Amino acid sequence: MEYVTAVPHPRSEAAGPARAGRLSLATALLAGALGAAVALLATRQQWSSGTATVAGGDFPLTAKGSDVTGVPAALAIVGLAALVAVFAVRKVGRFAVAALLALSGVGIVVAALLGVSDSSALDEQAASASGDAAATVDGLSHTAWPYVAVAGGALILLAGLLALRYGRMWPAMSGRYERNGAPRAVRRTKAVDPERPEEMWKALDRGEDPTGA
């Protein structure tokens, strides 16, 4: 009769956190990189349009996202840098960088939403085209690109939240540790015969201790 035990296998207990760490890492990398690319792309597109009255006629005006606000593009670059920096630090440093990543996403969302109703860029163009400093844009309308920037910021925010929650389980860049986090074994060299000086010189050239200590 086969013996049945209720004690779970140790490997199955460790498999859950390890799987969650790998999944969160892949999701954060994809979301962060995609969010930064989307936000940068959105700021290069037309966000608003309108007209200005010039010599009795209507003069068309348009404004790109970068004309309306430079915050989303700047924070997208900051977020992308923070996403890479997460793997270069540990413990408190990783938490701080992850928080910066999340805040970058929040800043992009807020700036893009404020840009939806912002007419200052087109008002400046209208004043310049008409020669009247008090002139404002007429027939103001906006495209969907500000909301695309909001989506990019939301993806960066998601990457930051994942880094805050699961970042402690992610690997870090370090030459002193292997992938499993254990210290690398120190390579021991074979002691050189002191009666053969040529071998001692070769060992020194290789950076080894000829005494084998």
Side-chain angles (χ1 to χ4, degrees):
M1 181 176 179
E2 187 178 356
Y3 179 72
V4 179
T5 177
V7 179
H9 199 282
R11 291 186 178 179
S12 62
E13 293 181 355
R19 188 181 301 110
R22 291 193 298 268
L23 180 60
S24 62
L25 173 59
T27 304
L29 287 174
L30 179 61
L34 181 61
V38 168
L40 288 172
L41 174 64
T43 58
R44 294 186 174 94
Q45 309 304 316
Q46 179 180 321
W47 279 26
S48 57
S49 61
T51 59
T53 303
V54 179
D58 292 335
F59 184 77
L61 303 173
T62 60
K64 294 182 179 180
S66 56
D67 299 327
V68 176
T69 174
V71 174
L75 289 181
I77 296 175
V78 172
L80 194 59
L83 182 63
V84 176
V86 164
F87 303 97
V89 293
R90 295 175 180 272
K91 298 181 180 180
V92 178
R94 176 167 291 187
F95 181 85
V97 174
L100 176 61
L101 178 60
L103 290 175
S104 297
V106 173
I108 292 174
V109 171
V110 173
L113 289 176
L114 292 176
V116 172
S117 58
D118 190 352
S119 63
S120 58
L122 290 179
D123 288 340
E124 292 179 2
Q125 293 186 28
S128 177
S130 63
D132 181 6
T136 57
V137 64
D138 298 322
L140 178 65
S141 63
H142 291 83
T143 67
W145 283 107
Y147 299 102
V148 176
V150 170
L155 288 173
I156 295 177
L157 173 59
L158 173 60
L161 294 177
L162 288 173
L164 287 171
R165 173 64 178 83
Y166 299 100
R168 67 182 185 280
M169 304 166 59
W170 296 352
M173 293 184 296
S174 175
R176 296 181 54 193
Y177 295 88
E178 299 289 352
R179 292 183 180 179
N180 60 2
R184 292 184 177 178
V186 178
R187 186 179 63 180
R188 295 183 180 275
T189 58
K190 184 178 180 181
V192 178
D193 187 355
E195 296 182 359
R196 303 185 63 180
E198 65 277 6
E199 293 188 5
M200 299 183 65
W201 286 113
K202 290 180 180 180
L204 289 173
D205 290 338
R206 293 192 300 268
E208 300 175 355
D209 183 0
T211 64

